[in-house]
Amino acid sequence: MPFQMVPDGKLALNWTYFRKVNVSPDGDKMSALTACSTEPSRLSVDSKSTPGVYKVAEGFMLTVRVTQDSWVVKSAIASESESKRLINHERTHFLLASCVAFDLYQQILDAKETSSARLQAKLTELRRKAAKRAQDMSDEYDDDTLHGDIAIAQRNWDLRIERWDREQSE
């Protein structure tokens, strides 16, 4: 499947992808923020589709990327144990964004409209809804785990992601 993660997997995400800051840029008590973008490439209309039916041609790539808007408070990663706990939490944010993007990829492939303009509008709406879903899931994850402080809740979310990944691989 033309789906890509940058970095190329959960364990590849490390603190080099984050700006090191002295205090939270948002002025809150968060210790880190993982910002992700979902970028489709080579979206073109399928010229072989049924006349009057517009859909995206196969062969496009969907990339989930950790962006330069990601940051971590330096003091939060001063101790090795806290650094490990926090990077695990942030990795799961990345995986949540990747799960939503994986679903978006299939939605883009399934999208069909009666005009190119309607298809473009539908794709824009799909991307907007995916971004909202990713943010909502990320917020729920932070609420459930208290930003990773509740170990059992963190483990439950990690297992949920692993289960989703297995289901997609079948």
Side-chain angles (χ1 to χ4, degrees):
M1 168 176 288
F3 178 81
Q4 169 181 331
M5 294 167 61
V6 179
D8 65 357
K10 175 182 177 178
L11 296 179
L13 181 63
N14 57 51
W15 294 127
T16 62
Y17 289 89
F18 294 76
R19 285 183 296 120
K20 312 306 183 288
V21 298
N22 291 320
V23 295
S24 168
D26 299 338
D28 59 22
K29 295 180 182 182
M30 288 184 5
S31 299
L33 176 95
T34 303
C36 299
S37 66
T38 302
E39 307 158 2
S41 65
R42 297 185 305 177
L43 286 179
S44 58
V45 174
D46 184 357
S47 61
K48 298 175 190 152
S49 64
T50 306
V53 175
Y54 291 79
K55 64 181 189 171
V56 173
E58 290 190 31
F60 71 93
M61 175 75 72
L62 193 60
T63 303
V64 179
R65 183 178 316 276
V66 173
T67 71
Q68 295 178 344
D69 292 332
S70 301
W71 54 265
V72 61
V73 175
K74 292 176 195 175
S75 62
I77 58 173
S79 81
E80 187 175 341
S81 63
E82 179 59 12
S83 179
K84 284 181 180 180
R85 183 202 66 77
L86 189 56
I87 195 65
N88 181 62
H89 180 77
E90 295 307 312
R91 285 172 175 158
T92 302
H93 277 290
F94 178 48
L95 292 178
L96 285 170
S98 298
C99 290
V100 171
F102 189 89
D103 290 343
L104 175 61
Y105 180 86
Q106 192 59 51
Q107 291 171 357
I108 290 172
L109 278 181
D110 293 344
K112 293 180 180 139
E113 283 298 331
T114 56
S115 73
S116 182
R118 285 184 181 193
L119 179 61
Q120 185 57 47
K122 184 171 200 154
L123 296 177
T124 299
E125 181 63 10
L126 287 173
R127 288 181 71 194
R128 186 195 67 72
K129 284 181 178 179
K132 182 175 181 345
R133 181 173 172 229
Q135 185 61 56
D136 290 348
M137 286 178 70
S138 189
D139 291 345
E140 179 184 353
Y141 167 57
D142 275 338
D143 290 347
D144 286 353
T145 65
L146 283 179
H147 297 276
D149 286 340
I150 302 174
I152 190 68
Q154 179 68 48
R155 182 68 183 136
N156 288 339
W157 274 89
D158 291 342
L159 290 171
R160 183 175 169 186
I161 296 290
E162 288 173 21
R163 187 170 45 251
W164 179 91
D165 189 42
R166 276 193 310 277
E167 289 169 2
Q168 297 311 309
S169 300
E170 295 175 348

